[in-house]
Amino acid sequence: TPAGDLATQVLHALDKNSPLLSSEAFPAIPSTEVKGALDRLASRDMVKYETIDREEAILEPEGEQIAANGSHEARVFEALRSAVEGLTIQELEKTIGDKNVVKIGQGRAFREKWISKTQDGKFKAAKESIKDVTKEQMQTIQSTKSYPDAKMLADLKKRKLVRTQKIISFKVQKGDKFALKIPEVATDLTADMIASGSWKTATFKGYNFKALGADQQSGALHPLNKVRSELRQIFFEMGFQEMATDKFVESGFWNFDSLFVPQQHPARDMQDTFYVSDPKLADMPRAEDPSDKADYQAYWDNVKAVHQDGKYGSIGYRYPWSGEESKKLVLRTHTTAISANMLYKLAQQKGPDGRPPPARYFSIDRVFRNETVDATHLAEFHQVEGVIADYDLTLGGLMEFMDIFFGKMGITDLKYKCAYNPYTEPSMEIFSYHKGLGKLVEIGNSGMFRAEMLESMGLPKDMRVFGWGLSLERPTMIKYGISNIRELLGHKVDLNFMRNSPAVRLDKA
Ligand code: PHE
């Protein structure tokens, strides 16, 4: 029934009889539909209503049968009462015409002592008359949909004659603006209404201040972006400058050679790194804006020398260094390629004392590795990276800084383990005890950049640079309780997860 029709029907029913009970006036219409119509009328003050919840007792098919024909035991009794000689079981079944009624009925009739057996084994009535209480109960329930004795009702339910169900109904009465027709209400004041003057007599629909706004399905930040913005905040408050990371493709020179990664290093293997096939090769490293006056050729030559022959007190790797290999284009495997570029630019700067000034840089962006995809690895992920360049830094300083930095992320009690990176010496993996997992988990990698790398750039000998990196996915997965990285990134991501994920706050110590 369309709501309009039902609302009008309600008005007509109320006109005849107010108040009315919706379950009586509209027994076949679901209560949600009735409520819709009543709300519509109530919003116009045409009706008032209250909701009444009650249990209704309903006859099961067997109960219906008893209400119509009498209980099984009463039917058996009636059949026997008119047979003075008594009846055999077969005769009884024939008279009643329902074996099941006879089977249950005779048992109960015996128990009630309504019937007995003759000497030759026939059934006969043992009374003049009986009172069929069950039938009366069924008829009461049929007409009133309830039963006054709750214990008895429970008993009838157990006998599967009756069931109960919850009924929502509405007690409705006329409202102040009751009428038989729903007045046309205007929801908007239109230009036409003003021009014609019809606004003067129009009825306007009142504002519904309780209406929920429609869900806007606006864009949502990805959880990685939310954690990223928290981390950026930490870097900014510690005086870091954000590096421009807007290039996914790098040359081998910046991604590897500048970082003193030898050209035979397994990380440079096609198994680990994605190489670009078209174009295959980069230009020589060069300035990207006219203000950059650095001598890139000299730098290139230094890098070649330090790898191939050794320089700056290092014996180098002593292999024939290939410019061609260095120019190969790759999808960057770490954001340390950007850090190298920034440190090279820093080497060109002159502070008040004519030397490169101390600097703190960070970045959070995507990197690519030719990994076999599994629950914790994707071929692309995000790296959080920081570098600190200053004079006379020490390893102890790096460890203290890590305590402060990770402490701001809510990660404390760091442990360090010696590690190897071609570009740092010493190198340390950073671990933290994860309470949920009950073990130490690796949270980052760090080190002091090597002289081979820094001095090739022209940075002064006594300028030291800390570097460290971690994945953005690891803390995000821990924060959002995700165990499979594919739920976080890639084509299997559930967009509702994005929409419904709240912003995080890292629990800062
Ligand atoms: N580039 C390293 C990595 O991919 C992280 C790192 C950055 C380590 C800087 C030391 C110094 O894990």
Side-chain angles (χ1 to χ4, degrees):
T1 316
D5 290 356
L6 181 55
T8 309
Q9 282 174 44
V10 169
L11 294 175
H12 281 272
L14 264 187
D15 194 37
K16 286 192 204 98
N17 150 26
S18 172
L20 64 73
L21 204 58
S22 68
S23 58
E24 282 166 7
F26 305 99
I29 298 176
S31 63
T32 47
E33 240 172 81
V34 175
K35 185 171 188 310
L38 293 179
D39 283 339
R40 193 165 155 238
L41 295 171
S43 72
R44 293 171 167 80
D45 284 339
M46 298 179 75
V47 305
K48 288 189 275 210
Y49 77 91
E50 59 190 279
T51 308
I52 297 165
D53 284 347
R54 65 188 165 77
E55 286 260 285
E56 195 173 87
I58 296 161
L59 296 185
E60 295 284 13
E62 197 176 329
E64 300 267 10
Q65 203 191 338
I66 292 170
N69 306 323
S71 66
H72 300 344
E73 53 275 25
R75 287 171 72 185
V76 167
F77 172 80
E78 290 305 330
L80 293 176
R81 199 169 59 121
S82 35
V84 199
E85 302 290 311
L87 295 174
T88 63
I89 184 104
Q90 290 81 6
E91 288 165 338
L92 191 53
E93 281 170 3
K94 221 171 142 193
T95 318
I96 291 177
D98 186 331
K99 277 192 179 176
N100 197 43
V101 169
V102 173
K103 192 168 151 241
I104 299 169
Q106 55 92 7
R108 287 179 154 274
F110 267 115
R111 239 173 293 140
E112 299 281 350
K113 299 200 165 66
W114 293 350
I115 62 169
S116 57
K117 273 199 173 160
T118 62
Q119 251 139 15
D120 49 359
K122 290 182 173 180
F123 296 97
K124 70 176 178 58
K127 281 192 155 188
E128 279 301 306
S129 67
I130 52 112
K131 192 159 174 251
D132 190 356
V133 178
T134 313
K135 179 181 181 178
E136 283 169 11
Q137 288 168 333
M138 292 304 112
Q139 286 175 338
T140 307
I141 290 168
Q142 198 168 45
S143 58
T144 64
K145 298 203 157 87
S146 64
Y147 198 75
D149 181 344
K151 219 176 132 229
M152 181 58 77
L153 184 63
D155 198 48
L156 294 172
K157 274 167 84 172
K158 223 176 285 163
R159 283 168 63 189
K160 303 237 177 336
L161 300 178
V162 176
R163 75 191 139 89
T164 53
Q165 75 184 26
K166 204 167 169 123
I167 296 289
I168 298 170
S169 84
F170 306 97
K171 189 180 164 196
V172 192
Q173 61 190 70
K174 291 180 183 175
D176 293 341
K177 297 199 181 139
F178 179 82
L180 280 180
K181 256 190 80 178
I182 303 171
E184 289 278 348
V185 289
T187 49
D188 266 319
L189 178 63
T190 62
D192 283 349
M193 291 168 87
I194 294 172
S196 70
S198 71
W199 62 271
K200 286 179 209 160
T201 51
T203 315
F204 287 95
K205 186 168 184 212
Y207 285 117
N208 178 3
F209 292 107
K210 288 185 191 147
L212 292 175
D215 186 0
Q216 290 304 308
Q217 291 285 308
S218 55
L221 285 180
H222 193 286
L224 282 174
N225 273 333
K226 294 177 187 168
V227 174
R228 177 173 171 264
S229 73
E230 277 282 294
L231 290 174
R232 285 181 84 223
Q233 221 41 59
I234 292 173
F235 277 114
F236 286 134
E237 73 190 32
M238 296 187 84
F240 282 77
Q241 214 178 311
E242 191 163 22
M243 297 185 264
T245 47
D246 50 351
K247 43 179 165 181
F248 289 168
V249 178
E250 284 282 3
S251 63
F253 181 80
W254 289 114
N255 197 81
F256 299 119
D257 293 291
S258 69
L259 288 158
F260 200 52
V261 180
Q263 295 186 333
Q264 320 68 24
H265 193 280
R268 299 181 76 147
D269 218 272
M270 289 222 298
Q271 260 86 58
D272 287 310
T273 298
F274 291 116
Y275 283 84
V276 177
S277 55
D278 185 17
K280 271 192 166 43
L281 297 184
D283 294 345
M284 285 290 285
R286 55 173 158 78
E288 273 156 31
D289 68 278
S291 69
D292 183 353
K293 299 277 189 282
D295 184 349
Y296 283 86
Q297 182 63 52
Y299 178 36
W300 168 275
D301 292 341
N302 286 343
V303 169
K304 177 176 178 173
V306 81
H307 279 247
Q308 190 170 287
D309 309 309
K311 206 174 171 180
Y312 315 111
S314 165
I315 60 168
Y317 293 119
R318 289 168 290 166
Y319 68 96
W321 187 83
S322 151
E324 181 90 350
E325 188 62 40
S326 193
K327 286 189 201 167
K328 281 188 182 164
L329 287 169
V330 300
L331 291 186
R332 69 175 176 221
T333 61
H334 51 187
T335 44
T336 318
I338 306 279
S339 300
N341 189 278
M342 286 299 285
L343 290 170
Y344 179 61
K345 291 205 167 104
L346 178 68
Q348 319 308 316
Q349 289 179 38
K350 285 189 174 49
D353 59 354
R355 286 150 48 92
R360 294 181 163 207
Y361 302 130
F362 82 96
S363 67
I364 305 174
D365 207 348
R366 201 173 283 228
V367 299
F368 306 86
R369 290 186 192 172
N370 195 358
E371 300 251 23
T372 311
V373 172
D374 65 22
T376 52
H377 293 89
L378 289 179
E380 50 191 294
F381 65 98
H382 295 77
Q383 236 176 16
V384 180
E385 167 143 341
V387 296
I388 298 179
D390 207 341
Y391 294 94
D392 301 318
L393 294 177
T394 63
L395 190 66
L398 177 118
M399 292 165 82
E400 187 196 19
F401 177 85
M402 291 304 147
D403 279 343
I404 299 168
F405 174 78
F406 281 102
K408 283 177 184 277
M409 291 172 62
I411 298 172
T412 52
D413 304 314
L414 302 184
K415 298 266 181 290
Y416 298 91
K417 185 175 141 193
C418 294
Y420 172 77
N421 290 311
Y423 37 93
T424 52
E425 182 59 36
S427 308
M428 299 183 302
E429 279 169 357
I430 307 169
F431 288 79
S432 153
Y433 185 77
H434 188 286
K435 289 202 190 81
L437 300 174
K439 61 172 184 186
L440 286 171
V441 292
E442 194 198 326
I443 50 171
N445 181 9
S446 68
M448 313 261 311
F449 284 114
R450 294 185 77 105
E452 286 93 333
M453 167 186 161
L454 301 178
E455 288 187 43
S456 297
M457 294 171 168
L459 284 168
K461 259 190 192 315
D462 53 350
M463 179 168 251
R464 303 279 147 73
V465 185
F466 299 155
W468 73 99
L470 57 138
S471 89
L472 179 61
E473 281 76 2
R474 169 76 53 95
T476 306
M477 286 169 75
I478 292 173
K479 267 285 153 200
Y480 286 92
I482 300 168
S483 55
N484 190 330
I485 198 164
R486 285 166 286 197
E487 287 169 30
L488 188 63
L489 209 60
H491 66 284
K492 287 189 178 161
V493 164
D494 176 359
L495 288 181
N496 286 319
F497 169 67
M498 301 297 135
R499 281 192 191 112
N500 303 331
S501 293
V504 295
R505 291 280 171 272
L506 301 174
D507 318 308
K508 289 162 203 169

